[in-house]
């Protein structure tokens, strides 16, 4: 078996069946008349039933979590034995699958009946069918500076397709953009477009001429709150992570014990000769890449903000600011008069055994595992999500060569995220990592490219998320078709 989340390792054939499911649904998208609709529904239902680990049941007093656990192991084995010989890589033996449909329909019907019998009154039929019919969508967004703007178009395409993330985990610039997505259930692209017309290099960044408390000193101080703060105000108060309408987990990296003052202070003025002027800054790409590579040698640990009573109190902008604090380049800190957030940060550093917080991309640039774990841990009232990862910072020979060493570092710490995600979209036509304050034309180009590149994956996402039509012979009576 491949490296999978711990809960999946306790259940036989879960990951293998989900891999088969993605392959079969890709084939169904490419060949829409391959199976009759009721046969495709039976196949999708059988595979979706196999993924269930927990069913959340609404009761008069709240909710009950019915743990399926290993109760379906025998069913999964039989289903896997029926389907695995019919699929080789991306190749599907279509006639063999068609010949197995009636057997698969019987397996799924019997397993549904067995689960209802096994768990008695704790698991109503409606709750089991609801969990099978539609699965939650969890999304992960990578960091990567200006490359991440392509996510804006991707998120809009997902929204236009009628798909909505139930939870998002993100890093660095991906976290900033995800925060805009998670403010409300509906994505507001118009507001983001209007905001981008008001951004300028000098408004977003200024020369580091201040103290450092929780962040790592760097040449440029990030004025995130001053620039986009109005977008995260509600009733005169800045939104906290717990206030977002779609749950968001933000990855930051903690520098653990062992980093002395000299390790911290040497980053304060690394790029002073390139500040303010964006063109000169872009010419220092090699120095930036070296600084980032160097900081990865420090003792680091990923910390995910928003998933516990302490970190859900983080102001959204502070979480995104620390996650975007590129070592040696961008400094973010809480130096304002804000006793509440100062206390939250002090408690976090003490709890995690860290001395400073920096860009989450140096620890986990594609937090898909955190997205999966957050759903399984009860962040939403559903379980067993379909996890989609958006990666804008994967290494590509011939483009962004100065950042290739850093991209390889990010790719290494993204392996777990890629192994966890059921679908990873690796974007190609991205802006430069240094385009953190893009021109209007660059921003619009990124939107168009993101929508175009993700559009090919939308039909698969629809099939994987559902809803699945109720298949005759499993949920409804056979009608003779």
């Amino acid at each position: 078996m491949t490296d999978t989340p711990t809960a999946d390792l306790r259940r036989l054939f879960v990951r293998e069946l989900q891999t088969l499911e993605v392959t079969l649904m890709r084939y169904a998208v490419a060949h829409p008349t391959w199976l009759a609709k009721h046969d495709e529904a039976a196949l999708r239902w059988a595979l979706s039933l196999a993924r269930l680990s927990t069913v959340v049941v609404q009761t008069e007093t709240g909710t009950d979590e019915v743990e399926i656990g290993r109760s379906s192991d025998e069913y999964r084995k039989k289903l896997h034995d029926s389907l695995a010989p019919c699929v080789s890589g991306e190749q599907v033996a279509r006639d063999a699958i068609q010949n197995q449909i009636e057997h698969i329909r019987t397996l799924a019907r019997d397993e549904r009946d067995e689960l209802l019998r096994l768990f008695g009154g704790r698991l109503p039929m409606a709750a089991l069918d609801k969990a099978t019919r539609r699965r939650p969508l969890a999304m992960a967004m990578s960091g990567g500076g200006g490359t991440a703007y392509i996510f804006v178009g991707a998120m809009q395409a997902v929204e236009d397709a009628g798909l909505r993330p139930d939870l998002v985990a993100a890093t660095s610039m991906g976290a900033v953009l995800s925060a805009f997505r998670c403010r409300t259930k509906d994505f507001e692209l118009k507001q983001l477009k209007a905001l981008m017309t008001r951004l300028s290099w000098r408004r977003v960044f200024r020369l580091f001429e201040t103290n450092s408390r929780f962040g790592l000193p760097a040449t440029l101080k990030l004025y995130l709150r001053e620039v986009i703060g109005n977008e995260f105000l509600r009733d005169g108060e800045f939104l906290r992570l717990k206030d977002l309408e779609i749950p968001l987990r933000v990855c930051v990296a903690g520098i653990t014990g062992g980093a002395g003052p000299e390790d911290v202070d040497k980053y304060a003025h690394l790029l002073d000769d390139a500040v303010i002027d964006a063109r000169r800054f872009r010419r220092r790409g090699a120095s930036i890449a070296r600084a980032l590579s160097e900081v990865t040698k420090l003792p680091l640990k990923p910390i995910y903000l928003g998933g516990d009573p302490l970190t859900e109190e983080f102001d959204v902008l502070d979480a995104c600011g620390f996650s975007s604090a590129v070592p040696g380049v961008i400094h973010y800190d809480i130096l304002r008069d804000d006793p509440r957030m100062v206390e939250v940060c002090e408690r976090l550093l003490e709890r995690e055994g860290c001395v400073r917080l920096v860009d989450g991309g140096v620890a986990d640039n594609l937090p898909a595992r955190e997205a999966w774990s957050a759903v399984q841990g009860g962040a939403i009232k559903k379980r067993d999500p379909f996890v989609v990862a958006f990666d804008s910072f994967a290494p590509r020979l011939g483009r962004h060569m100065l950042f290739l060493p850093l991209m390889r570092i990010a790719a290494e710490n993204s392996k777990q995220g890629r192994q966890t995600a059921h679908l990873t979209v690796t974007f190609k036509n991205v802006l430069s990592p240094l385009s953190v304050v893009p021109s209007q034309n660059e921003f619009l180009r990124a939107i168009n490219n993101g929508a175009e590149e993700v559009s090919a994956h939308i039909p698969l996402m629809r099939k994987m998320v559902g809803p699945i039509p109720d298949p005759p012979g499993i949920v409804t009576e056979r009608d003779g078709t």
Side-chain angles (χ1 to χ4, degrees):
M1 293 179 65
T2 57
D3 182 18
T4 60
T6 304
D8 273 359
L9 289 172
R10 294 197 295 266
R11 298 182 294 135
L12 294 176
F13 296 108
V14 170
R15 189 66 180 189
E16 292 88 343
L17 284 169
Q18 290 180 341
T19 300
L20 286 171
E21 183 178 11
V22 170
T23 300
L24 290 168
M25 290 307 101
R26 283 190 194 278
Y27 192 86
V29 167
H31 305 85
T33 61
W34 164 46
L35 291 173
K37 290 183 178 180
H38 57 274
D39 286 341
E40 181 183 303
L43 178 61
R44 293 172 65 190
W45 193 277
L47 287 161
S48 185
L49 185 63
R51 72 180 166 84
L52 295 181
S53 67
T54 304
V55 177
V56 179
V57 179
Q58 301 298 317
T59 67
E60 294 181 359
T61 57
T63 60
D64 182 22
E65 295 187 8
V66 179
E67 300 286 343
I68 304 297
R70 301 197 62 167
S71 302
S72 292
D73 279 358
E74 184 177 354
Y75 165 67
R76 295 187 191 101
K77 183 180 184 305
K78 291 179 179 179
L79 185 60
H80 182 266
D81 289 347
S82 299
L83 291 174
C86 306
V87 179
S88 177
E90 295 298 316
Q91 301 299 312
V92 174
R94 51 188 294 159
D95 292 342
I97 293 289
Q98 290 172 332
N99 292 336
Q100 289 284 350
I101 288 295
E102 284 307 311
H103 175 59
I104 289 169
R105 192 190 309 273
T106 300
L107 284 178
R109 182 194 64 221
D110 291 349
E111 176 64 10
R112 177 175 180 262
D113 292 344
E114 176 61 16
L115 289 174
L116 294 174
R117 183 199 65 77
L118 182 64
F119 292 99
R122 286 191 62 205
L123 182 58
M125 180 188 297
L128 177 61
D129 288 348
K130 180 180 180 181
T132 308
R133 188 178 293 116
R134 187 163 205 154
R135 72 187 74 183
L137 174 62
M139 302 188 74
M141 308 282 185
S142 77
T147 69
Y149 283 109
I150 202 166
F151 298 157
V152 178
M155 290 187 289
Q156 185 61 52
V158 171
E159 177 82 2
D160 291 344
L163 298 168
R164 176 173 293 159
D166 293 277
L167 181 140
V168 179
T171 294
S172 196
M173 183 62 81
V176 176
L177 298 172
S178 294
F180 279 94
R181 176 63 193 89
C182 294
R183 288 183 307 174
T184 57
K185 295 291 187 183
D186 299 317
F187 186 42
E188 301 172 351
L189 180 57
K190 287 184 179 180
Q191 290 189 11
L192 189 52
K193 281 185 175 179
L195 173 66
M196 294 303 298
T197 64
R198 303 194 299 270
L199 293 186
S200 69
W201 187 265
R202 291 178 179 271
R203 287 192 66 200
V204 177
F205 299 111
R206 300 177 197 172
L207 180 65
F208 178 82
E209 294 178 343
T210 185
N211 296 321
S212 176
R213 186 171 191 174
F214 303 113
L216 193 70
T219 292
L220 299 174
K221 179 172 173 56
L222 174 61
Y223 281 79
L224 199 63
R225 181 179 292 260
E226 290 79 0
V227 174
I228 63 174
N230 288 338
E231 307 297 324
F232 292 89
L233 277 173
R234 183 179 295 166
D235 299 326
E237 298 287 337
F238 285 102
L239 291 177
R240 305 176 193 182
L241 288 174
K242 68 179 182 181
D243 299 323
L244 296 172
E245 294 189 15
I246 296 176
L248 174 64
R249 300 291 182 265
V250 176
C251 179
V252 299
I255 301 177
T256 58
E262 67 282 358
D263 295 314
V264 170
D265 293 338
K266 68 180 180 181
Y267 293 100
H269 303 287
L270 183 67
L271 299 173
D272 280 4
D273 64 328
V275 298
I276 302 304
D277 187 331
R279 291 170 298 179
R280 293 179 66 193
F281 185 80
R282 294 185 186 195
R283 288 198 292 267
R284 291 299 304 274
S287 298
I288 296 168
R290 282 196 298 270
L292 292 172
S293 298
E294 185 176 326
V295 82
T296 60
K297 300 174 184 177
L298 295 173
L300 299 168
K301 66 182 297 187
I303 302 171
Y304 304 98
L305 307 178
D308 61 87
L310 174 62
T311 63
E312 69 179 7
E313 293 294 331
F314 254 79
D315 280 5
V316 173
L317 293 175
D318 291 330
C320 293
F322 282 119
S323 185
S324 303
V326 182
V329 184
I330 298 172
H331 170 257
Y332 188 86
D333 225 317
I334 299 172
L335 301 173
R336 63 186 184 271
D337 183 16
D338 191 341
R340 185 190 66 81
M341 270 306 305
V342 167
E343 181 185 2
V344 169
C345 287
E346 288 176 339
R347 290 174 58 192
L348 177 66
L349 291 181
E350 180 180 5
R351 186 184 78 181
E352 300 293 335
C354 296
V355 294
R356 297 296 170 103
L357 301 175
V358 296
D359 186 347
V362 298
D364 184 0
N365 200 52
L366 193 64
R369 176 146 185 169
E370 175 60 21
W372 186 91
S373 298
V375 173
Q376 294 303 88
I380 61 175
K381 294 180 179 179
K382 308 172 189 175
R383 301 293 185 273
D384 306 299
F386 179 61
V387 182
V388 177
F390 285 170
D391 189 357
S392 65
F393 204 57
R396 290 190 65 215
L397 294 176
R399 297 198 65 187
H400 314 309
M401 292 299 292
L402 288 175
F403 283 86
L404 193 57
L406 182 60
M407 287 178 167
R408 286 172 173 160
I409 292 171
E412 184 65 27
N413 71 40
S414 297
K415 284 183 177 179
Q416 191 177 73
R418 286 177 170 270
Q419 290 168 345
T420 300
H422 303 109
L423 170 65
T424 299
V425 181
T426 303
F427 292 90
K428 299 177 181 178
N429 297 315
V430 297
L431 302 182
S432 165
L434 293 175
S435 296
V436 289
V437 184
S439 68
Q440 188 68 4
N441 286 338
E442 286 179 321
F443 181 62
L444 294 177
R445 186 168 76 248
I447 292 176
N448 291 335
N449 290 345
E452 181 179 350
E453 290 195 42
V454 85
S455 63
H457 303 279
I458 293 295
L460 172 64
M461 292 174 63
R462 280 201 181 110
K463 286 194 181 292
M464 296 299 295
V465 172
I468 304 170
D470 291 351
I474 300 178
V475 178
T476 63
E477 295 296 325
R478 297 296 296 268
D479 56 8
T481 60

